[in-house]
Amino acid sequence: MNIKLVKKTFIITSLVLFLDGCGFNQQSIQSFAQTNSSIEIVKYKNEITSSLLKYKKKLDLRNPNSYNKKLAKNISFQIQKNQDYINISQNGKKLETYNEYFYYAFKDDEISNRNDFLILGLYKLIYKAFSLDTNHKFTALEYNKYELQKLYEYLQVLRWKIRTQKDVNGNYLFNTWQNNWQLELLHKDRNDLNIIKDLEYIKANKETIFSHSNFSFEVLLSRILLNVEYTLRKINIEPYEMSTSAIKSFIFIL
């Protein structure tokens, strides 16, 4: 006997009996669709947190002096368990909101453990958008549309800021897409392009000017954005892309 066929037949039969018992009316179909959408949203949420954990690991490897090594496992653990109990103190104040974390993550002054501010801010944003502090939702309509829209907007801003923002000394706040020779070139006299051949990574043949940039960070953020986009559509909201001017003018305030 084909076990898969038996299971499939059982599921279809159960579904038919359920719909028949409800009178097979439009309200019953909508309720079933909403419940199914909620299951899909949980899957998207799990993929988002999984991508965030991978992003944290890559970010810490690429920026090894920008995170608290004693706190790293705890941050990853709370993300895995959908909890929110870590709050960093900065300048004598315990930070609680994602805006506070993003403010310090992108502050152009010297900031210790910048990676942690970015990851915790992003996680707290996801935590609030998906209401991870509440019980399981049975329908898609129970999700907070406003917070999910905000998550989608912030992700667009974060993607641009991570890629472009520099500190007061002209260093990128986060090393992600850049090749090592590009980072070295930032502090050289770029009026003389011949200096490129004397850069450490070029001279040692570890990289060339034709080396591909590291797009793995961009891929992970884009994957998170895509799953939020899928979620918005499940709750009947059409995602929209922010304009370049709106993204560039966006600032995080305390």
Side-chain angles (χ1 to χ4, degrees), residues 15-144:
L15 178 59
V16 170
L17 290 173
F18 169 76
L19 293 174
D20 182 61
C22 295
F24 202 65
N25 54 33
Q26 185 176 2
Q27 184 177 358
S28 299
I29 296 173
Q30 287 177 343
S31 178
F32 177 77
Q34 289 167 11
T35 302
N36 185 60
S37 293
S38 183
I39 294 171
E40 290 292 304
I41 290 173
V42 171
K43 183 183 75 172
Y44 301 146
K45 183 271 296 180
N46 289 338
E47 290 178 358
I48 287 170
T49 53
S50 175
S51 294
L52 179 60
L53 285 167
K54 292 175 183 176
Y55 194 92
K56 171 179 167 46
K57 184 177 180 179
K58 291 183 66 65
L59 190 68
D60 290 346
L61 285 172
R62 190 75 173 90
N63 303 266
N65 299 317
S66 298
Y67 74 102
N68 186 334
K69 295 173 178 59
K70 294 180 180 179
L71 200 58
K73 288 185 178 180
N74 282 331
I75 292 176
S76 295
F77 180 81
Q78 78 161 8
I79 296 173
Q80 291 170 349
K81 298 300 181 181
N82 293 334
Q83 298 177 0
D84 181 24
Y85 57 85
I86 296 177
N87 292 294
I88 297 176
S89 292
Q90 182 72 6
N91 299 330
K93 178 188 176 184
K94 185 169 70 173
L95 308 183
E96 297 181 350
T97 69
Y98 50 78
N99 269 325
E100 290 175 324
Y101 283 89
F102 290 143
Y103 174 82
Y104 288 107
F106 294 102
K107 193 173 174 58
D108 60 7
D109 296 335
E110 184 176 344
I111 295 291
S112 298
N113 305 323
R114 193 184 294 274
N115 293 5
D116 297 338
F117 288 111
L118 175 63
I119 298 300
L120 284 173
L122 185 47
Y123 176 65
K124 288 177 182 294
L125 181 61
I126 293 167
Y127 187 89
K128 188 169 185 180
F130 283 91
S131 302
L132 299 184
D133 58 333
T134 60
N135 295 326
H136 294 294
K137 293 173 175 56
F138 294 100
T139 69
L141 296 180
E142 293 180 68
Y143 284 89
N144 191 315

Side-chain angles (χ1 to χ4, degrees), residues 186-239:
L186 287 174
H187 302 286
K188 301 292 185 180
D189 181 7
R190 280 171 283 177
N191 291 322
D192 180 12
L193 293 181
N194 290 321
I195 195 68
I196 293 178
K197 69 179 186 296
D198 292 322
L199 297 175
E200 179 184 345
Y201 281 82
I202 299 293
K203 198 171 183 177
N205 293 319
K206 294 179 181 179
E207 294 176 349
T208 74
I209 59 173
F210 303 108
S211 297
H212 294 293
S213 298
N214 186 350
F215 288 108
S216 58
F217 289 92
E218 190 78 11
V219 168
L220 285 171
L221 272 184
S222 295
R223 189 176 297 166
I224 293 174
L225 256 170
L226 191 61
N227 278 295
V228 176
E229 186 177 314
Y230 292 154
T231 300
L232 287 172
R233 290 203 168 98
K234 287 294 182 182
I235 59 175
N236 300 320
I237 293 178
E238 186 61 29

Side-chain angles (χ1 to χ4, degrees), residues 153 156-157 160-161 242-251:
E153 293 171 359
Q156 295 176 68
V157 173
W160 180 81
K161 284 185 175 292
M242 296 175 65
S243 67
T244 302
S245 59
I247 290 175
K248 289 183 176 181
S249 62
F250 194 98
I251 59 173

